[in-house]
Amino acid sequence: MPFETILTKSLGLKAPIIAAPLGRGSSADFLASVSRAGGFGFVALMHMPEDTVASELSAISRATNGHFGVNLTLIVDQRKRLDAALAAGVRHFSMWHGDLAEHIPAIKEAGGQVFWTIGSVEDARRARQLGVDWIVAQGREAGGHLVGSAPIMSLLPAIVDAADGLPVIAAGGIADGRGLLAALSLGACGVWMGTRFVASRESANHPGYKDKVVEATAADLVETKLFDSGWQNSPHRVIRNSTYESWIKSGQPANGRRPGEADVISRFPNGKPLLRYDVAAPWAAMEGEWEAGPLYAGASTQLVHQILPVDDILAGIVDQAERELARVSRLHKAS
């Protein structure tokens, strides 16, 4: 198996590649496609109402044969969602943005594993003491909500050095085989990618959102705290859109005085209004002003040129990494 690591061995993967949670983009079909292709995917529970978590996870479990994980954003009380996930047989939990210590005992008691997304050396030093199994080191160039304190090229080796032997997965700015090879060279056991998988054929993200990811360059990305309904004061990276441009033109007013704050741009599947500054990214069945919501994307968007099947994405990443490794080996021999 090419690029066999502790991650591929532990999770039974063909490649050390994890699909980050994509909001409603991480559907049962998408996660099943990732699993069949030899990767592993996480689904965020934040967007699931507490009373639907069990049924939604049941559908995902059937589609993936239980080969997936869940993500808990700890800015709200997640105990009910955690309990529902454990009852559904989930054993891989990704956590971030909050205190995970109180949740770890229940996960460990059930035989589960904890992935902790961090952005600092200080957190890496605490991870083993907390009972974390896997560190996800997020570089600042990532898309979506951010915890990274520096670009992945400098942050990753620093976190690996501080991790006390815990395996580290690299996140942020990675979308191809060169990024995978670089991450492994810097001490990671695998990569965690979101932006590349948004623009996959099977993701349940809105088709227009996928097109935006393919079309965007680094100059189209902004780090902001603008889309904050339900998650305030958290920086995130998005593609510029009409909501952002309108806010800039109005002088970047503070929350409460921004243009169109009461605008209903669509509705959630349960009928709840979706407001202009909500944190929800556009999903496939979204009607209304899908472009006005947050179009999360990282710097790796400039490496995404096509909407491809998940299987082709994973195979292409591995093939390119193998070619690059062979090229570097030839350079070494030539010297």
Side-chain angles (χ1 to χ4, degrees), residues 84-312:
L86 288 168
V90 176
R91 294 297 179 263
H92 296 91
F93 292 83
S94 156
M95 292 185 281
W96 69 332
H97 278 281
D99 184 6
L100 70 166
E102 65 177 293
H103 301 300
I104 291 178
I107 294 171
K108 294 292 184 165
E109 186 176 339
Q113 297 188 351
V114 175
F115 295 69
W116 187 24
T117 299
I118 64 172
S120 71
V121 167
E122 291 73 23
D123 280 341
R125 292 180 178 136
R126 296 175 53 223
R128 184 176 292 278
Q129 176 185 341
L130 288 169
V132 169
D133 300 286
W134 306 85
I135 291 172
V136 180
Q138 188 204 63
R140 195 68 181 187
E141 60 269 66
H145 289 84
L146 306 172
V147 295
S149 58
I152 195 64
M153 194 76 174
S154 58
L155 182 67
L156 176 57
I159 284 181
V160 169
D161 289 345
D164 192 24
L166 285 179
V168 178
I169 301 162
I174 301 168
D176 64 12
R178 293 168 295 185
L180 170 60
L181 185 59
L184 296 177
S185 299
L186 293 173
C189 65
V191 294
W192 175 284
M193 304 190 313
T195 301
R196 171 63 272 193
F197 285 114
V198 168
S200 66
R201 190 172 297 170
E202 295 90 343
S203 84
N205 299 108
H206 194 283
Y209 178 17
K210 297 181 186 186
D211 289 339
K212 291 285 187 182
V213 169
V214 171
E215 296 163 2
T217 68
D220 298 313
L221 303 176
V222 291
E223 180 179 323
T224 183
K225 295 181 180 180
L226 186 62
F227 297 96
D228 64 354
S229 178
W231 194 343
Q232 292 191 346
N233 298 315
S234 180
H236 42 273
R237 191 174 312 285
V238 295
I239 300 171
R240 292 171 179 266
N241 67 355
S242 58
T243 297
Y244 180 83
E245 296 296 349
S246 176
W247 175 69
I248 292 292
K249 290 178 182 177
S250 64
Q252 305 178 43
N255 189 327
R257 301 195 304 273
R258 299 171 300 187
E261 288 199 345
D263 292 353
V264 176
I265 63 171
S266 186
R267 292 189 178 274
F268 290 103
N270 63 3
K272 177 184 174 183
L274 175 65
L275 300 181
R276 180 171 297 278
Y277 295 96
D278 198 284
V279 298
W283 58 93
M286 180 178 171
E287 299 178 349
E289 299 179 65
W290 66 266
E291 182 273 345
L295 306 174
Y296 300 117
S300 64
T301 187
Q302 56 200 340
L303 302 173
V304 179
H305 307 301
Q306 289 179 281
I307 299 168
L308 295 172
V310 164
D311 190 65
D312 288 356

Side-chain angles (χ1 to χ4, degrees), residues 18-34 40-45 47-48 56-57 59-61 63-64 68-71 192-194 197-198 200 202-206 209-210 281-284:
I18 290 180
L22 308 177
R24 287 172 179 78
S26 297
S27 63
D29 289 342
F30 169 74
L31 293 167
S33 296
V34 172
F40 191 85
F42 280 85
V43 59
L45 301 190
H47 72 272
M48 297 183 189
E56 293 193 49
L57 292 185
I60 293 172
S61 186
T64 63
F68 74 103
V70 302
N71 169 266
W192 175 284
M193 304 190 313
F197 285 114
V198 168
S200 66
E202 295 90 343
S203 84
N205 299 108
H206 194 283
Y209 178 17
K210 297 181 186 186
W283 58 93

